[in-house]
């Protein structure tokens, strides 16, 4: 039987830092053929990469093929200043391999301005010209000098910088200095922590930032909400990728940086830095399958653990011992490991203490931090506002992980304990993440991000645990449009398992990502019905803020309101609404007005 003709490729990316495939910049192409790629095609691609490197005078480096359910990721390392050309090389190598095998490349063999698929000499001449135009002649000596001074160097499409934060200087790429023109004595790194995982990243970043500020550092942080300095917003938006991180690391007021490092940025561009002092992985749970060749939990764990590439023998990789995937994938990692858990007697924590390595866990209701020599009591878990009296197990883990990471940054246990004792008491500390309001008539409202099945299950389990007997459970439910139909159905199944009495379906403002308004809501409705939620219990109100108003208006005495809110504007409005209702003693049956924070 003849083989089916594969599409040429699905995606082509420039990797600007350490990444899933290797610890260097480079380029990756996703074949997306829908089936295993023929070994002969892989070999033909590799041979072309070797010949292109030789023709362009690029050094040898890793060439990686990662086969997966939808095809293969074809990656190779390349010089950091010619990554657009590297992407062109990758495209040419794959398309010309297809053409030589008689496969449909999807492109004309001869196309003006593009490397020829049939005349390799002509193709390489064009690629040499492209590389020469992109090349930064002064970069190699600057990089060598920065390494000699043990200083980090950051490069993107527009700028090069040496040093970090308050100890950095930046230059336009087309006006780079000679090494002797760099003020080396003024340059230095700053403490840097990377935070990744499936859930809890933003909470951990905010908590770590508060600890670093209490330590006395002017602290920059990036997360899905924006870029911040000392808790003040610099720029709103999702800045959990390397672009946002590099922007903060060049901020000359920053004395420390806490960087949320999300899956998407890791896969699209890699890490922003070659080195960090500490990296925290909160947990691994199902999310975002089917993108960039990641189809299962093991693949997702490999992506998250890319942060280990930035940790050398002087640093620390902080991992959640309660997460089975992290325990399994930690085997073979070179980075020094530090474990945290809700059980201080967990075998990995006991072993860490025996080895003189750091750990953090719960013992007899208190959080204990081991610094390699001695244990420090950080206080009663139930007294830490983030844990809601100890009920929020995932936030107990977040407190432990953040405490251990802060220790790795050199912050004293007493400072860590003081912040844990207050952080979360004020709703401004951690907006949109596990916040609680107690309204009149015993109505309890909870707002959280809860953006995937695992996060939603943790959230609803906590709400159910604190729920008053006889009260009803109201749920706001939505999902981002870039999730697959099956992932949306899984979220609906998770919600249905908690038997909500009233579900309001919404759009996620700013997260439609190619779907029509209401399309996700219809998929969620079908999933809820399939798993036993009564049709009369499901209503649709696509605007997030109005959906919350409708839920509050429907609440009766003793009811619980579970409100996963995702849009930043909606979060502000919902928080203001609930603050005002709580302040004026709202009770079921009263008008639901308010939500404006303006004077």
């Amino acid at each position: 039987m003849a083989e089916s003709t594969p599409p040429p490729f699905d995606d082509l990316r420039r990797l600007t830092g350490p990444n899933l495939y290797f610890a260097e910049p480079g380029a990756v192409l996703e074949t997306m053929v829908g089936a295993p790629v023929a070994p002969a095609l892989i070999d033909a691609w590799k041979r072309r990469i070797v010949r292109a490197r030789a023709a362009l005078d690029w050094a040898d480096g890793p060439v990686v093929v990662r086969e997966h359910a939808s095809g293969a990721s074809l990656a190779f390392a390349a010089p950091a200043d010619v990554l657009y050309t590297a992407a062109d090389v990758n495209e040419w190598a794959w398309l010309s391999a297809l053409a030589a095998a008689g496969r449909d490349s999807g492109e004309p063999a001869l196309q003006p301005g593009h490397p020829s698929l049939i005349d390799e000499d002509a193709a390489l001449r064009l690629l040499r010209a492209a590389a020469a135009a992109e090349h930064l002649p002064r970069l190699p000596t600057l990089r060598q000098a920065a390494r000699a001074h043990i200083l980090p160097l950051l490069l993107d499409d527009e700028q090069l910088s040496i040093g970090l934060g308050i100890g950095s200087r930046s230059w336009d790429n087309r006006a780079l200095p000679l090494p002797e023109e760099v003020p080396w004595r003024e340059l230095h790194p700053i403490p840097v922590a990377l935070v990744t995982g499936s859930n809890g990243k933003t909470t951990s970043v905010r908590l770590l930032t508060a600890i670093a500020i209490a330590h006395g550092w002017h602290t920059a942080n990036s997360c899905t909400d924006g870029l911040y300095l000392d808790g003040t917003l610099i720029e709103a938006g999702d800045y959990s990728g390397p672009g946002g991180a590099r922007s903060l690391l060049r901020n000359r007021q920053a004395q420390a940086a806490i960087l949320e490092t999300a899956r998407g940025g890791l896969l699209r561009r890699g890490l922003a830095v070659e080195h960090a002092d500490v990296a925290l992985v909160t947990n691994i749970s199902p999310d975002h399958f089917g993108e960039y060749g990641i189809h299962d939990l093991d693949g997702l764990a490999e992506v998250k653990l890319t942060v280990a590439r930035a940790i050398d023998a002087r640093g620390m990789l902080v991992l959640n011992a309660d997460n089975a995937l992290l325990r399994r994938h930690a085997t073979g990692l070179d980075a020094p490991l530090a474990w945290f858990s809700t059980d201080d007697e967990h075998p990995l924590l006991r072993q860490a203490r025996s080895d003189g390595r750091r750990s953090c866990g719960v013992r007899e209701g208190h959080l204990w931090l081991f610094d390699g020599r001695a244990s420090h009591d950080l206080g009663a878990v139930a007294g830490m506002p983030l844990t809601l009296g100890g009920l929020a197990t995932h936030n107990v883990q977040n407190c432990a992980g953040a405490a251990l990471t802060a220790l790795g940054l050199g912050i004293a246990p007493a400072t860590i304990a003081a912040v844990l004792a207050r952080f979360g008491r004020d709703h401004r500390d951690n907006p949109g993440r596990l916040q609680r309001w107690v309204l009149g008539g015993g109505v309890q409202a909870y707002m959280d991000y809860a953006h995937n099945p695992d996060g939603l299950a943790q959230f609803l389990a906590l709400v159910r645990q604190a729920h008053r007997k006889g009260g009803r459970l109201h749920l706001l439910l939505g999902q981002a449009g870039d999730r697959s139909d099956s992932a949306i159905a899984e979220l609906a199944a998770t919600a249905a398992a908690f038997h909500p009495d009233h579900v309001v379906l919404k759009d996620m403002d700013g997260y439609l990502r190619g779907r029509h308004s209401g399309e996700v809501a219809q998929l969620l409705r079908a999933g809820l019905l399939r798993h036993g939620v009564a049709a009369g219990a499901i209503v649709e109100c696509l605007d997030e803020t109005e959906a919350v108003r409708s839920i509050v208006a429907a609440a009766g005495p003793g009811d619980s309101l579970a409100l996963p809110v995702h849009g930043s504007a909606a979060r502000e409005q919902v928080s203001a609404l609930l603050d005002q209702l709580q302040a004026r003693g709202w009770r079921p049956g009263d008008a639901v007005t308010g939500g404006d924070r303006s004077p």
Side-chain angles (χ1 to χ4, degrees):
M1 180 180 295
E3 294 183 62
S4 61
T5 301
F9 62 90
D10 181 72
D11 188 68
L12 189 62
R13 308 189 299 281
R14 295 174 298 120
L15 302 168
T16 58
N19 51 77
L20 174 62
Y21 314 102
F22 34 72
E24 307 165 46
V28 60
L29 179 148
E30 299 293 340
T31 67
M32 290 296 288
V33 300
V37 183
L41 278 177
I42 296 294
D43 290 342
W45 170 79
K46 287 181 177 178
R47 289 194 299 271
R48 285 164 171 78
I49 295 297
V50 170
R51 294 200 292 271
R53 275 178 167 167
L56 275 63
D57 197 26
W58 292 353
D60 289 339
V63 177
V64 174
V65 177
R66 184 181 179 276
E67 298 189 57
H68 50 76
S70 55
S73 304
L74 309 180
F76 72 98
D81 59 333
V82 289
L83 295 183
Y84 283 102
T85 304
D88 290 342
V89 167
N90 212 351
E91 180 180 9
W92 165 78
W94 176 242
L95 294 182
S96 62
L98 288 175
R103 302 290 188 90
D104 180 9
S105 70
E107 300 287 345
L110 293 171
Q111 188 175 359
H114 294 262
S116 171
L117 303 185
I118 56 175
D119 184 342
E120 185 168 306
D121 289 340
L124 293 176
R125 283 196 299 273
L126 188 63
L127 290 168
R128 275 196 297 270
E134 193 179 0
H135 176 53
L136 302 175
R138 292 186 176 183
L139 177 62
T141 54
L142 280 173
R143 188 180 294 279
Q144 185 177 9
R147 286 175 176 165
H149 286 85
I150 318 177
L151 286 170
L153 180 149
L154 305 179
L155 178 69
D156 57 28
D157 291 348
E158 297 178 355
Q159 286 189 313
L160 174 144
S161 57
I162 300 175
L164 299 177
I166 194 172
S168 70
R169 295 294 184 277
S170 299
W171 297 267
D172 290 340
N173 284 346
R174 296 303 166 185
L176 296 182
L178 294 168
E180 57 268 27
E181 297 170 338
V182 175
W184 297 107
R185 292 180 181 274
E186 300 174 19
L187 306 183
H188 57 79
I190 61 174
V192 174
L194 307 177
V195 179
T196 192
S198 295
N199 295 300
K201 296 185 294 297
T202 299
T203 292
S204 297
V205 164
R206 290 169 174 167
L207 176 54
L208 269 167
T209 300
I211 294 170
I213 292 171
H215 179 67
W217 287 328
H218 290 298
T219 306
N221 76 271
S222 62
C223 64
T224 53
D225 288 337
L227 303 177
Y228 294 80
L229 180 67
D230 290 339
T232 299
L233 181 67
I234 299 172
E235 188 168 349
D238 186 346
Y239 284 99
S240 57
R246 278 191 288 265
S247 176
L248 280 186
L249 292 169
R250 290 169 173 156
N251 187 311
R252 295 189 59 202
Q253 293 178 280
Q255 296 174 309
I258 315 296
L259 307 174
E260 184 169 332
T261 307
R263 171 211 57 88
L266 286 169
L267 285 166
R268 285 191 295 270
R269 293 289 181 264
L271 290 172
V273 292
E274 294 180 357
H275 174 264
D277 298 277
V278 193
L280 164 64
V281 186
T282 59
N283 49 63
I284 307 291
S285 63
D287 199 14
H288 285 288
F289 290 154
E291 294 183 339
Y292 306 118
I294 304 302
H295 297 276
D296 55 31
L297 279 168
D298 287 319
L300 187 59
E302 292 171 9
V303 173
K304 301 291 188 182
L305 287 168
T306 297
V307 295
R309 295 190 185 276
I311 303 300
D312 62 19
R314 299 165 296 168
M316 190 168 74
L317 179 62
V318 178
L319 301 178
N320 185 349
D322 298 335
N323 189 268
L325 270 164
L326 286 175
R327 294 196 301 270
R328 178 152 52 87
H329 281 267
T331 305
L333 291 175
D334 291 333
L337 303 183
W339 293 98
F340 65 93
S341 170
T342 54
D343 179 9
D344 201 41
E345 291 303 309
H346 191 289
L348 285 170
L349 274 68
R350 289 205 313 268
Q351 186 63 51
R353 292 195 293 273
S354 175
D355 295 341
R357 292 183 289 111
R358 297 164 177 176
S359 68
C360 190
V362 179
R363 177 169 16 110
E364 296 179 350
H366 282 233
L367 189 60
W368 288 87
L369 182 64
F370 183 70
D371 66 8
R373 296 184 300 275
S375 290
H376 303 269
D377 183 357
L378 299 182
V381 168
M384 298 173 184
L386 273 184
T387 73
L388 293 187
L391 292 177
T393 302
H394 64 290
N395 268 352
V396 175
Q397 293 174 331
N398 289 334
C399 287
L404 193 50
T405 303
L407 182 71
L409 290 173
I411 299 175
T415 301
I416 298 169
V419 176
L420 290 175
R422 64 166 174 79
F423 188 85
R425 187 175 296 126
D426 189 319
H427 283 159
R428 292 170 294 184
D429 288 341
N430 196 26
R433 266 68 176 182
L434 197 56
Q435 296 175 275
R436 177 172 61 179
W437 289 261
V438 178
L439 307 177
V443 174
Q444 297 188 69
Y446 299 81
M447 182 163 62
D448 193 48
Y449 198 63
H451 68 297
N452 56 34
D454 187 62
L456 183 65
Q458 291 179 353
F459 177 48
L460 291 179
L462 184 145
V463 173
R464 274 295 188 197
Q465 192 174 358
H467 186 63
R468 290 174 179 262
K469 187 175 181 180
R472 297 183 302 157
L473 174 62
H474 303 256
L475 173 63
L476 176 67
L477 190 63
Q479 181 57 290
D482 60 352
R483 300 322 199 263
S484 66
D485 289 4
S486 61
I488 294 169
E490 185 181 358
L491 189 76
T494 300
F498 289 87
H499 310 292
D501 301 281
H502 176 216
V503 182
V504 178
L505 303 175
K506 62 164 186 172
D507 277 342
M508 284 175 57
D509 186 33
Y511 295 86
L512 291 177
R513 294 173 178 170
R515 292 191 187 262
H516 299 297
S517 177
E519 183 178 346
V520 170
Q522 290 306 306
L523 292 170
L524 289 169
R525 179 187 293 274
L528 292 168
L529 292 171
R530 191 160 51 246
H531 289 279
V533 178
I538 307 169
V539 297
E540 188 176 291
C541 182
L542 298 181
D543 179 88
E544 281 195 291
T545 305
E546 291 309 311
V548 171
R549 288 185 189 278
S550 73
I551 286 175
V552 176
D559 285 0
S560 295
L561 320 181
L563 309 173
V565 177
H566 301 95
S568 57
R571 185 186 67 208
E572 286 287 326
Q573 293 163 2
V574 169
S575 182
L577 170 67
L578 295 173
D579 282 347
Q580 292 164 23
L581 294 179
Q582 181 174 263
R584 69 173 183 250
W586 178 93
R587 300 182 64 83
D590 292 351
V592 182
T593 59
D596 184 3
R597 285 207 188 276
S598 61

